[in-house]
Amino acid sequence: LAVASTTFQRLFQRMMGVLPPDEWKNNTSAALHPPYSRSSNGNSTGLTYLSDKSLDEAATILQSKEWTKAIFVRDPKQRALAAYLARSPHAMTEYLLDHCCPNRRKCVNADDKLTFDEFLEVSARCRDPLWMPQSLRMESKYWPYITFVGHLETAQEDTKRLLQIVDDTDATWDKYGRTGWGKSGGSGSIFGDSDHLLDDDMMPIFYTNEIERRVEEIYAMDYHHQMQLEQQQQQQQRVDNCGLLWWRNSRWSTQC
């Protein structure tokens, strides 16, 4: 997800005027590739993060209707494989040894090439932002306040829908998302290429039926949580359209 995270960072920099407009015509400019971390190169991205706020301020923002709270999620099977492929087998082995069992360093055999199913078993017992369930990204009490859930697999379409929420028109999308992106001289739309996704032929190489079932077990909470999020958004859409919500038969109901 690092490619997508950096792309969104660039989008927000563009919207906030952090980068000069003409920089977006030159895809090779260093300004188009800001550090993933604000402090990694001693530079600031020029953006304000939720972590810059106090706990009380952050909680207020997360629960306020005045803010649009958006999150993009990814299919757990694609995400797990992308995490495994993020480093070479040797580098990932060292990463697991350093982060998952730094004291005994026996959670994975350093002498053998790390396989995908071995990675899954170790990562299932070791929490790391690179592969931890997405449903744990925030406290459960804040999920009902999320106003937009996008999917990495449909990042371009969902980003357009997100930007349309800003002003109820296509103006923001037209100005910041429709052009200025990609490798074709900056004439493409945001997420117009597929650099943020795995190639379609990668999944069958690593996934057997058994491994697929194992991933579904490991990320069961994400699959269940995703269904809840979709139901929540569908309900909110009905409320927005109808403007009426009441409690009936132990659940919230609307009528248009």
Side-chain angles (χ1 to χ4, degrees):
L1 193 57
V3 173
S5 298
T6 302
T7 300
F8 278 117
Q9 180 175 275
R10 291 168 57 194
L11 171 64
F12 299 143
Q13 287 177 311
R14 188 179 186 184
M15 293 175 68
M16 298 299 293
V18 174
L19 297 179
D22 58 350
E23 293 286 0
W24 294 91
K25 298 178 182 179
N26 182 6
N27 178 265
T28 62
S29 171
L32 291 179
H33 303 280
Y36 183 77
S37 169
R38 286 177 294 158
S39 59
S40 62
N41 292 331
N43 298 322
S44 171
T45 62
L47 302 175
T48 300
Y49 295 76
L50 196 63
S51 58
D52 294 326
K53 305 294 184 180
S54 69
L55 291 178
D56 288 341
E57 289 176 316
T60 298
I61 290 173
L62 285 172
Q63 298 174 80
S64 172
K65 293 183 178 180
E66 300 300 316
W67 291 80
T68 297
K69 283 84 64 177
I71 186 169
F72 274 70
V73 296
R74 187 176 192 175
D75 175 70
K77 293 172 187 174
Q78 271 242 353
R79 186 166 175 263
L81 181 55
Y84 170 69
L85 296 175
R87 294 172 170 84
S88 68
H90 173 74
M92 180 55 75
T93 295
E94 288 299 315
Y95 186 85
L96 293 175
L97 290 172
D98 290 340
H99 289 78
C100 300
C101 53
N103 296 324
R104 300 184 62 188
R105 293 179 65 84
K106 292 184 178 181
C107 56
V108 62
N109 190 341
D111 296 327
D112 294 336
K113 181 179 179 180
L114 182 72
T115 63
F116 182 42
D117 54 333
E118 289 173 333
F119 166 77
L120 288 173
E121 295 308 320
V122 176
S123 62
R125 304 189 300 270
C126 175
R127 182 173 296 187
D128 186 281
L130 189 63
W131 58 70
M132 65 184 286
Q134 296 161 102
S135 51
L136 299 179
R137 290 287 296 174
M138 67 187 80
E139 294 181 69
S140 58
K141 65 182 180 181
Y142 293 123
W143 276 106
Y145 297 100
I146 297 299
T147 49
F148 183 91
V149 179
H151 298 266
L152 190 61
E153 292 77 15
T154 53
Q156 185 180 56
E157 297 87 345
D158 290 349
T159 301
K160 180 178 181 180
R161 291 195 299 113
L162 175 59
L163 294 182
Q164 288 172 330
I165 292 177
V166 175
D167 55 11
D168 294 324
T169 69
D170 284 332
T172 303
W173 164 256
D174 289 341
K175 186 173 182 180
Y176 300 111
R178 187 181 296 277
T179 60
W181 303 87
K183 302 175 182 178
S184 55
S187 62
S189 299
I190 187 171
F191 292 116
D193 53 43
S194 58
D195 288 351
H196 58 290
L197 296 175
L198 295 175
D199 292 336
D200 291 338
D201 57 356
M202 293 293 288
M203 299 289 282
I205 296 176
F206 292 92
Y207 272 98
T208 63
N209 291 335
E210 183 179 353
I211 292 178
E212 191 168 353
R213 285 193 296 270
R214 182 59 180 137
V215 171
E216 291 172 355
E217 292 174 356
I218 294 172
Y219 291 96
M221 66 173 64
D222 271 359
Y223 284 111
H224 178 68
H225 194 251
Q226 181 59 37
M227 289 189 294
Q228 290 181 319
L229 286 175
E230 291 175 355
Q231 292 171 356
Q232 172 185 316
Q233 290 215 305
Q234 290 170 1
Q235 180 68 64
Q236 185 59 52
Q237 185 62 49
R238 289 194 294 269
V239 174
D240 293 341
N241 292 339
C242 304
L244 184 63
L245 180 68
W246 71 92
W247 188 256
R248 170 187 287 178
N249 298 329
S250 301
R251 66 187 180 88
W252 291 108
S253 303
T254 62
Q255 180 177 347
C256 298

